[in-house]
Amino acid sequence: MERSEAYYFSAALSCAFLASCLLFSALNRQQRSPYMDEAFHVPQAHAYCEGRFQQWDPMITTLPGLYLVSVGIVKPAAWLFGWSGSIVCSTGMLRFINLLFSIGNFYLLYLLFCRMHHKKAASGFQRILSTLTLAAFPTLYFFTFLYYTDTGSTFFTLFAYLMCLYGNHKTSALLGFCGFMFRQTNIVWTVFCGGSVVAQKLSEAWKAELSKSKEQKNSPAKGSFSELIKLFRFLQAYLMSLKNLTTLFLLTWPYIMMALVFFTFVVLNGGIVVGDRSSHEACLHFPQLFYFLSFTLVFSFPHLVTPGKMVSFLRSVQKHFLRYSILTTVSLFLVWKFTFAHKYLLADNRHYTFYIWRKIFQRHELVKYILVPVYIFAGWSFTDALKSKSVFWNLVYFLCLFVVTVPQKLLEFRYFILPYIIYRLNIPVPSLSKLFLELAFYILVNVVTFHIFLNKPFQWPNSEEIQRFMW
């Protein structure tokens, strides 16, 4: 890191932390008691603080990583500073754990941008601005200030990904296990780390194969049928080699071990969810992928929604009309047969998704079908943004994206945080104008979100509790 870049990064980190501290103070003054899911997480953390590790709230569906880390931080701090028991595991102190995680996420995002986008691909200022923008990503940033699992889950997953990129695979798998302890679905991103290693080896071998046949300029990503046949034959030959399989196993065995740990857990636990499973049943909710692509289109609109992109999309539709017709037909069928509305989505008017569903999807029965062209454009823009990555990397990423979104019945934006961040890290670094526009949009969304949360409370009939709007 050059000295000037180090100064700019330190200034950005300090300003972000100061702003977060001021917002943290305002939120804790307005909402002192546990809110929403904090009503389960905070008492569970209290039990762990008091050494009652056998106590477990059956309504909690995630593993105890958040509570174990919290106790590991606040207990030594209490001993060091002489804090009383009422302060040690208070709601405010537990929320502060996530504020610390958010600073770690800021630093990890910067290291990831530096690792993935070198000086020739992006300037130091672009990397810092990209870091600041992604650290302010509204869905993640909001839950920094509540005692939820999202910030810590993101921290360990990003840390695992960074170690994977540096080739420290045992450390990466161990950090992946920590992420798994925060949220079970994070095992998918541990598998992604292992899959990205395999994808890199396959890409190297594929380039060598093309070089031998003097077809270096051809790319399997172009989509022609002959290229797909060549690619399939290459994969078949590569994976039939014991030497190649041995090499891949030696590189990825830590991730394989983590996958085995996960499957052992699922067998012993009788499922992926701990605690209350009645509201977290897996299903084939294919439109979840469409919702994620639309979510990405909105939050990446400076990069994905440009006149040039739209013209390119229309040309692609004109050139491959039959292909898009088939895709549209399949999408309409998936929307028709596999659209589900979770009871929480329909009943809890504190979440933005409640209003999105009611104001858009429930306006008319045909709306969900009318949106299919938007989904297709979002999917095309999304894949176009990742065209700089190899076909093997894209295959691994889209498989992980499918596994982490489609089985979820509940439309919940928090489930989109990690797949979005992985996508955003891997697209080429945008121009400064687009980054400033993206950052301004994120700040605007955050300002509106926190203003509504803090200043627009409401009450349910027959209830004295104050309710607030949130993601």
Side-chain angles (χ1 to χ4, degrees):
M1 186 190 304
E2 296 180 359
R3 181 171 296 182
S4 60
E5 185 177 348
Y7 289 151
Y8 289 137
F9 173 75
S10 299
L13 179 61
S14 301
C15 290
F17 183 61
L18 176 60
S20 296
C21 285
L22 294 174
L23 188 54
F24 179 84
S25 177
L27 188 143
N28 275 278
R29 285 197 302 270
Q30 291 279 5
Q31 184 64 45
R32 295 182 180 277
S33 59
Y35 184 69
M36 287 287 288
D37 289 1
E38 285 186 320
F40 308 112
H41 294 309
V42 171
Q44 187 62 51
H46 286 167
Y48 275 42
C49 280
E50 295 170 3
R52 291 180 278 115
F53 294 100
Q54 300 297 323
Q55 179 176 326
W56 186 258
D57 187 336
M59 293 301 294
I60 297 174
T61 58
T62 54
L63 291 169
L66 176 63
Y67 321 121
L68 293 172
V69 170
S70 299
V71 172
I73 293 175
V74 298
K75 280 293 187 179
W79 175 80
L80 185 64
F81 296 107
W83 291 335
S84 64
S86 60
I87 297 176
V88 174
C89 279
S90 63
T91 303
M93 184 60 67
L94 292 172
R95 288 172 178 169
F96 190 74
I97 301 296
N98 276 343
L99 194 60
L100 297 179
F101 273 131
S102 73
I103 299 305
N105 285 334
F106 193 104
Y107 189 54
L108 288 171
L109 287 168
Y110 176 71
L111 293 178
L112 283 163
F113 275 116
C114 288
R115 178 65 179 175
M116 300 169 70
H117 305 283
H118 302 292
K119 292 182 179 180
K120 292 182 179 180
S123 66
F125 191 70
Q126 282 178 299
R127 290 194 292 267
I128 294 171
L129 192 57
S130 296
T131 301
L132 186 61
T133 300
L134 206 49
F137 177 52
T139 311
L140 175 62
Y141 190 67
F142 179 83
F143 289 101
T144 295
F145 303 94
L146 296 175
Y147 192 58
Y148 275 55
T149 59
D150 302 271
T151 314
S153 166
T154 302
F155 173 82
F156 284 109
T157 302
L158 291 179
F159 205 170
Y161 190 30
L162 181 66
M163 290 298 100
C164 174
L165 293 176
Y166 275 99
N168 298 326
H169 301 303
K170 286 182 282 189
T171 304
S172 176
L174 182 60
L175 290 165
F177 176 77
C178 295
F180 165 73
M181 289 294 291
F182 273 68
R183 183 171 291 167
Q184 292 91 303
T185 53
N186 284 346
I187 188 64
V188 173
W189 302 111
T190 302
V191 173
F192 167 77
C193 288
S196 64
V197 176
V198 174
Q200 182 179 0
K201 286 296 179 182
L202 288 172
S203 296
E204 292 170 358
W206 175 244
K207 288 179 181 179
E209 183 72 17
L210 292 178
S211 179
K212 287 179 183 179
S213 57
K214 297 182 181 180
E215 295 174 5
Q216 186 68 43
K217 292 184 180 180
N218 290 345
S219 169
K222 298 295 183 182
S224 72
F225 186 72
S226 60
E227 287 170 337
L228 290 175
I229 293 297
K230 290 178 185 177
L231 188 61
F232 178 77
R233 288 175 178 171
F234 160 75
L235 283 173
Q236 187 179 31
Y238 187 91
L239 296 177
M240 289 295 290
S241 169
L242 182 61
K243 179 182 178 182
N244 293 335
L245 291 177
T246 303
T247 301
L248 293 178
F249 176 79
L250 291 175
L251 283 171
T252 60
W253 70 264
Y255 306 110
I256 295 173
M257 293 299 296
M258 265 304 304
L260 292 175
V261 169
F262 170 74
F263 284 119
T264 303
F265 161 77
V266 170
V267 171
L268 295 178
N269 186 56
I272 190 173
V273 176
V274 298
D276 178 31
R277 301 178 185 176
S278 60
S279 302
H280 296 84
E281 296 177 353
C283 65
L284 287 176
H285 193 181
F286 291 103
Q288 280 278 32
L289 190 57
F290 301 151
Y291 305 149
F292 170 76
L293 293 173
S294 303
F295 174 88
T296 302
L297 190 70
V298 170
F299 283 102
S300 289
F301 82 90
H303 325 309
L304 301 184
V305 187
T306 63
K309 287 274 189 180
M310 299 183 77
V311 170
S312 297
F313 173 69
L314 292 175
R315 287 175 178 170
S316 178
V317 172
Q318 186 179 16
K319 184 178 180 181
H320 307 287
F321 184 76
L322 178 60
R323 185 182 303 173
Y324 281 96
S325 298
I326 295 172
L327 180 60
T328 301
T329 303
V330 172
S331 300
L332 288 169
F333 175 78
L334 294 177
V335 168
W336 174 43
K337 285 294 186 181
F338 297 96
T339 295
F340 301 105
H342 197 282
K343 60 182 180 180
Y344 289 171
L345 177 64
L346 299 175
D348 197 337
N349 66 343
R350 293 170 294 183
H351 292 287
Y352 293 160
T353 48
F354 171 87
Y355 299 95
I356 291 173
W357 194 262
R358 191 178 71 174
K359 298 293 185 181
I360 298 177
F361 292 91
Q362 288 188 321
R363 184 170 291 274
H364 194 278
E365 180 65 23
L366 293 177
V367 169
K368 61 184 180 182
Y369 302 109
I370 295 172
L371 289 173
V372 165
V374 177
Y375 300 152
I376 293 175
F377 172 69
W380 178 88
S381 301
F382 187 82
T383 53
D384 184 68
L386 291 170
K387 64 184 179 182
S388 61
K389 309 300 290 187
S390 73
V391 64
F392 305 106
W393 187 95
N394 274 281
L395 179 61
V396 171
Y397 174 76
F398 278 99
L399 283 174
C400 291
L401 175 62
F402 181 90
V403 172
V404 85
T405 56
V406 169
Q408 303 280 2
K409 188 175 183 179
L410 176 63
L411 173 57
E412 170 66 80
F413 289 147
R414 290 190 299 138
Y415 300 156
F416 297 160
I417 291 174
L418 279 171
Y420 180 86
I421 290 177
I422 298 296
Y423 143 80
R424 184 62 183 78
L425 283 167
N426 282 279
I427 66 172
V429 176
S431 63
L432 287 176
S433 60
K434 290 181 179 180
L435 285 172
F436 276 117
L437 179 59
E438 185 182 31
L439 178 60
F441 176 61
Y442 284 8
I443 291 174
L444 176 62
V445 172
N446 284 327
V447 168
V448 172
T449 300
F450 282 104
H451 170 70
I452 293 174
F453 181 83
L454 295 174
N455 302 317
K456 301 292 183 180
F458 65 99
Q459 286 181 288
W460 285 337
N462 305 320
S463 175
E464 296 182 356
E465 291 186 18
I466 295 296
Q467 309 298 333
R468 300 180 187 274
F469 299 105
M470 60 186 291
W471 284 105

